[in-house]
Amino acid sequence: MTGKVDLHTHTYYSDGALSPRELVTRAHEVGISILSITDHDNIDGIPEALEAAKDFGIEVIPGVELSSTLGTKDIHVLGYMFDPDNTQLRDTLEFLRKERFIRAERIVRKLNSMDMPLDFDIVLEHAGHGAVGRPHIAAAMLDEGLTSEYAEAFDQYIGDSGPAFEPKYKISPEDAVEIIANAGGVSIVAHPGWYVGEQDLSYLIRAGVDGIEVVHPAHDEARQRYYRGIASTYFLLEGGGSDFHGGKRNDYQNFGTYTVSHDIVRAMKRRLFIQ
Ligand code: AMP
Ligand code: ZN
Ligand code: FE
Ligand code: FE
């Protein structure tokens, strides 16, 4: 099989700009033959992507990027090749979605009590198909003229130490690894270069993660070599991709640029005894 492999992308089912079909179409245009859609805490884009993939002869690998928390740090865990119909996985994602909704409502109520007439429905419009969060609240505040800048919404109101902040329900990295494993998939620590130090990484390896993301726009050559070394020492899978979102992020040049070899997909399948 020829063509490029990208194992990390987002659609409008989380914070990406494109629909699954648009993403698959673009993947074909940039020469990708194996694509995984890894929306944040959401797998609703997978059926549409699988349908679209048939039209282009592309292989779509079911994926997800679970948000977990270790101490004060956000650890993103990528999951691949799981059963999208797995009940525990679906229930967890549904629970997280509901929790986010309730939390966003709470934040808006706090803002309302601070003389900010923000309508929750407008926030939901900004969220679209994606799980509602603070970026949507900030965007809605900006649109409604309640703040003069996007960053100001965080600085003065909804940032981690702001007066309208509400904490989010958290799952641990161990939970994330277990949920993915129980659904028959492999787990890979996303972009460790962002925040995951050596100690955290060894903790995650002991927690049973199957691999680490090596190729990512946030990793330079030296960092990639470093993670390849760790992967080879601990017999881990070497993941990678563009983390493409599209839209305002303007990261179109990354799509088709940050790719991995077909061997990685084969290695993932071997671990799961898939032909
Ligand atoms: P949530 O998951 O709803 O807590 O939102 C987290 C997201 O909000 C992060 O991924 C950032 O995109 C954004 N965010 C958090 N803090 C700030 C900040 N101080 N300034 C701008 N964006 C922020
Ligand atoms: Zn994202
Ligand atoms: Fe991430
Ligand atoms: Fe991502």
Side-chain angles (χ1 to χ4, degrees), residues 10 14-16 40 65 243 245 249:
H10 296 273
S14 60
D15 56 348
H40 301 281
E65 184 172 13
D243 206 352
H245 286 73
R249 294 219 194 183

Side-chain angles (χ1 to χ4, degrees), residues 112-126:
N112 292 160
S113 74
M114 294 165 68
D115 278 335
M116 288 247 144
L118 182 64
D119 191 348
F120 188 52
D121 287 337
I122 293 172
V123 174
L124 291 180
E125 272 170 37
H126 279 269

Side-chain angles (χ1 to χ4, degrees), residues 231-251:
S232 117
T233 305
Y234 295 98
F235 305 101
L236 299 171
L237 296 165
E238 295 174 26
S242 62
D243 206 352
F244 174 65
H245 286 73
K248 288 198 197 109
R249 294 219 194 183
N250 215 353
D251 54 355

Side-chain angles (χ1 to χ4, degrees), residues 34-261:
I34 303 182
L35 174 75
S36 185
I37 292 183
T38 51
D39 276 314
H40 301 281
D41 301 320
N42 192 308
I43 57 172
D44 294 341
I46 294 172
E48 183 185 324
L50 289 171
E51 258 323 291
K54 288 183 201 158
D55 297 342
F56 297 103
I58 285 181
E59 179 178 351
V60 164
I61 294 173
V64 69
E65 184 172 13
L66 297 179
S67 308
S68 72
T69 312
L70 184 60
T72 58
K73 275 185 219 158
D74 275 348
I75 307 272
H76 289 178
V77 179
L78 293 158
Y80 297 105
M81 299 184 182
F82 48 79
D83 171 13
D85 295 322
N86 179 269
T87 310
Q88 187 194 11
L89 174 64
R90 297 199 77 88
D91 287 353
T92 304
L93 297 178
E94 179 60 15
F95 176 76
L96 291 174
R97 202 183 59 77
K98 283 199 180 124
E99 284 292 315
R100 275 187 157 277
F101 187 93
I102 295 165
R103 174 222 190 202
E105 256 181 336
R106 267 196 235 120
I107 294 176
V108 169
R109 246 182 274 132
K110 272 193 173 175
L111 288 168
N112 292 160
S113 74
M114 294 165 68
D115 278 335
M116 288 247 144
L118 182 64
D119 191 348
F120 188 52
D121 287 337
I122 293 172
V123 174
L124 291 180
E125 272 170 37
H126 279 269
H129 297 265
V132 61
R134 286 184 288 164
H136 310 117
I137 296 175
M141 285 170 74
L142 186 61
D143 258 23
E144 297 299 292
L146 297 170
T147 179
S148 54
E149 272 181 82
Y150 180 86
E152 194 183 284
F154 282 92
D155 294 344
Q156 296 190 1
Y157 299 100
I158 60 173
D160 289 4
S161 46
F165 176 74
E166 281 282 326
K168 207 164 51 176
Y169 179 82
K170 296 169 176 143
I171 66 168
S172 68
E174 294 93 322
D175 292 338
V177 169
E178 186 178 314
I179 291 160
I180 293 163
N182 287 348
V186 291
S187 53
I188 292 192
V189 187
H191 43 67
W194 266 8
Y195 44 71
V196 187
E198 208 161 311
Q199 243 181 343
D200 292 339
L201 206 48
S202 85
Y203 179 86
L204 293 165
I205 293 167
R206 273 180 280 126
V209 81
D210 298 294
I212 49 183
E213 194 169 47
V214 174
V215 174
H216 187 276
H219 299 164
D220 61 17
E221 286 288 331
R223 212 160 250 286
Q224 290 189 25
R225 270 197 301 280
Y226 169 66
Y227 292 132
R228 278 210 177 86
I230 294 176
S232 117
T233 305
Y234 295 98
F235 305 101
L236 299 171
L237 296 165
E238 295 174 26
S242 62
D243 206 352
F244 174 65
H245 286 73
K248 288 198 197 109
R249 294 219 194 183
N250 215 353
D251 54 355
Y252 289 91
Q253 74 286 350
N254 290 349
F255 199 39
T257 308
Y258 292 88
T259 57
V260 294
S261 104

